[in-house]
Each structure stands twice: as structure tokens, then as C-alpha cells.
Amino acid sequence: MGDPAQMGDPAQRPLTYGEYLRLDRLLACQEPRTGAHDEMLFVVIHQVYELWFKQILHEAALLQRRLEDGDSAGTLSTGRRIVKILKTVVGQLDVLETMTPRQFASFRDALGTSSGFQSAQFRQIEAVLGRRRFPASDLRDDEELQGAVARRSLMDSLMRYLSAQGFGVPHAVLERDPSEAWRADQGVQEALLKVYADESGPAVEVCEALVDLDEGIQEWRYRHVKMVERTIGAKIGTGGSAGADYLRSTLFTPAFPDLWEVRSQIEETVVHGR
């Protein structure tokens, strides 16, 4: 009998870089539908978006577990990683914006009814952040989205973290139906004021990490709007979407309204030197 490693037994021979990353499959996934040079960039950028969305969902699940376990350090680490990923996703728009409107027009018709608004993973991210109203057509055949809408949002997980830290979150908030949309709550804001009154504790850092995450999502939305505007102007988006008009309607709508509202309630203090 020969050496299994020499005979090519996959279980015995050394694992290569290409095999570990399944590069043969990954690099075969780019199939532009036209001969336009710039379509390859469009395909690659959007496939990379989906990979990052997958990672964000992976990290968000851990973030919620760490919040509900009361793991402050772990929460901060995971929250900051998600924010870094969002910065990277936003940065990719710089590359996409090197494509001129005419270059995009050279292959746009080949996109047919496909549209970035059809991204199932981004809808799941929105659900994790607290969005609960989706078109029935989005929910009907997407079991993962249905599950995400029924589970606790990040804000619900934060409430459990703060309650365990002793910040008096209202019982009704802790027991609310997570399938319902989050609504700003005065009792939650009172608890958050207590959090922000003690800047030496870990809870305020955790809250600020979620503000960073919320801001990162809003930055992504804004940059996405401007990218669409500079590429297709006021035209109807691919797949019949409202294009930039729809994207603009999503701006300045925070996922965690209480974390933003409480800032206007923090009283100013003056620290006098000796």
C-alpha cells in the first residue's frame, strides 16, 4: 500500500490555502452578464458586501449573547468589531464610486429585476437592530427573517444587560413582545440617565458602543444614498425600486432612539478648578 498522503487522500495530505478558503468555488462565482469592463467591479463589490453582512450577523448574535450574559468586556470587543466592519463596508463605496454613470449604464440593463434592496441578509441586520415592519413579500418565503423579527432585538438585549447591572429598567420593557417594534420609553431613558451619570462604570461604554454601531449604520445609509445619486441621479432604481428617494427616506432614523434622546436630557455641569 502506498502512502495515503502521496496518493492524494484529502484527509491525509496537507491542507492548502486555496482548499481552506474554497477559492476554486469562490473565484468561480463572478459571472458578469455583459462584456462591459466595469461589471466585474460591480459584481465583486456586491459579493463582498454580502460576505461582510454575513459576518455582521455572526457577530451580532454573539453581541446579544454577551449582553444578556452581562459580559461587559466581551460586549465592547464585539461591538467595536462590528463598527470596524461597517467602516470597511462604507469605505468600499469609495471604490464603487470610481465607476462613472456612463460606465454603469453600459451594463445596467443586464441587471434585470435584481436590486440591492433584495438583500436578505441586510433585512436580517435591520431586524436585529429592531425593524419589525417588512413587506409581506419579504417575510413570506424567508424563514430566517421571520425568526429574526420574532426574536429580541439588540435594544432588548441591552435592556437585559442594564437590568442585571442594577439600573432599574421597567419590568414592562423587559417582558414586552419582541416581535413588536421598539418605541421610545421614558422609563428606559430614566435608566439611561443613571447610566450616563456614572462615566466610570462599564455600562456607559457599552451604551456608547451601541451608539457607534447605530451611527455606523446611518453612515452606510447616507453614503449609499449619495452613491446612488451620483450613479443614476433621480432615475428609478434597478428592480423598479424608488432608488435614491427610498434610501433618503431611511436616513436619520436611529435604531436606538432612547440612546440618542437621552443626550438632550443630560444636565450640563461645570467643573471648577481649584
Side-chain angles (χ1 to χ4, degrees):
M1 296 289 290
D3 184 345
Q6 295 178 351
M7 295 175 65
D9 183 348
Q12 298 295 326
R13 57 187 170 81
L15 183 67
T16 68
Y17 173 81
E19 289 170 338
Y20 178 69
L21 296 179
R22 304 288 182 91
L23 291 183
D24 55 342
R25 295 171 59 184
L26 179 64
L27 299 179
C29 290
Q30 295 73 49
E31 298 182 357
R33 301 173 69 88
T34 74
H37 174 83
D38 295 280
E39 189 181 358
M40 178 64 82
L41 174 65
F42 188 84
V43 170
V44 168
I45 287 287
H46 285 81
Q47 288 183 342
V48 172
Y49 281 156
E50 291 296 330
L51 289 172
W52 280 128
F53 292 164
K54 182 174 184 176
Q55 188 65 32
I56 288 172
L57 288 168
H58 184 62
E59 299 294 344
L62 176 60
L63 179 61
Q64 288 193 264
R65 289 197 300 272
R66 287 179 162 176
L67 278 168
E68 298 191 17
D69 288 344
D71 181 356
S72 301
T75 293
L76 288 173
S77 175
T78 305
R80 287 166 179 165
R81 176 177 289 179
I82 295 173
V83 171
K84 291 290 187 183
I85 293 172
L86 288 170
K87 292 290 186 185
T88 300
V89 169
V90 169
Q92 288 178 190
L93 288 169
D94 292 338
V95 182
L96 197 56
E97 286 179 346
T98 64
M99 182 166 50
T100 67
R102 185 172 295 277
Q103 288 168 340
F104 179 58
S106 70
F107 63 86
R108 187 187 182 203
D109 285 348
L111 300 180
T113 59
S114 65
S115 168
F117 297 115
Q118 297 166 354
S119 172
Q121 290 194 118
F122 192 74
R123 289 196 294 268
Q124 290 173 40
I125 290 172
E126 290 183 308
V128 170
L129 292 171
R131 181 181 174 186
R132 290 295 179 265
R133 295 185 64 183
F134 291 92
S137 57
D138 289 348
L139 282 166
R140 187 182 306 114
D141 301 317
D142 191 336
E143 292 184 2
E144 291 189 1
L145 182 60
Q146 293 170 18
V149 167
R151 290 192 297 271
R152 288 193 286 266
S153 69
L154 264 172
M155 194 65 179
D156 289 308
S157 295
L158 175 65
M159 292 301 100
R160 278 159 175 72
Y161 168 83
L162 293 180
S163 178
Q165 297 289 316
F167 285 102
V169 176
H171 180 74
V173 171
L174 296 173
E175 297 302 318
R176 78 181 201 92
D177 181 356
S179 68
E180 296 292 329
W182 180 271
R183 290 180 174 80
D185 184 277
Q186 185 60 43
V188 167
Q189 292 169 24
E190 290 172 2
L192 288 171
L193 282 172
K194 295 175 183 176
V195 171
Y196 279 90
D198 180 14
E199 293 198 335
S200 65
V204 71
E205 290 189 73
V206 167
C207 288
E208 286 297 279
L210 291 192
V211 170
D212 289 340
L213 194 162
D214 198 347
E215 188 172 6
I217 289 289
Q218 292 185 60
E219 183 181 6
W220 153 253
R221 292 188 187 280
Y222 173 76
R223 285 295 310 277
H224 196 184
V225 167
K226 303 311 292 183
M227 182 273 293
V228 170
E229 284 182 341
R230 69 183 288 165
T231 304
I232 66 171
K235 295 177 184 176
I236 296 297
T238 54
S241 68
D245 282 345
Y246 168 78
L247 290 169
R248 202 177 293 110
S249 73
T250 68
L251 295 177
F252 311 116
T253 304
F256 313 131
D258 298 285
L259 286 170
W260 294 94
E261 173 58 30
V262 75
R263 282 155 164 70
S264 64
Q265 301 177 26
I266 295 174
E267 295 182 2
E268 295 182 4
T269 59
V270 178
V271 179
H272 298 283
R274 295 184 178 180

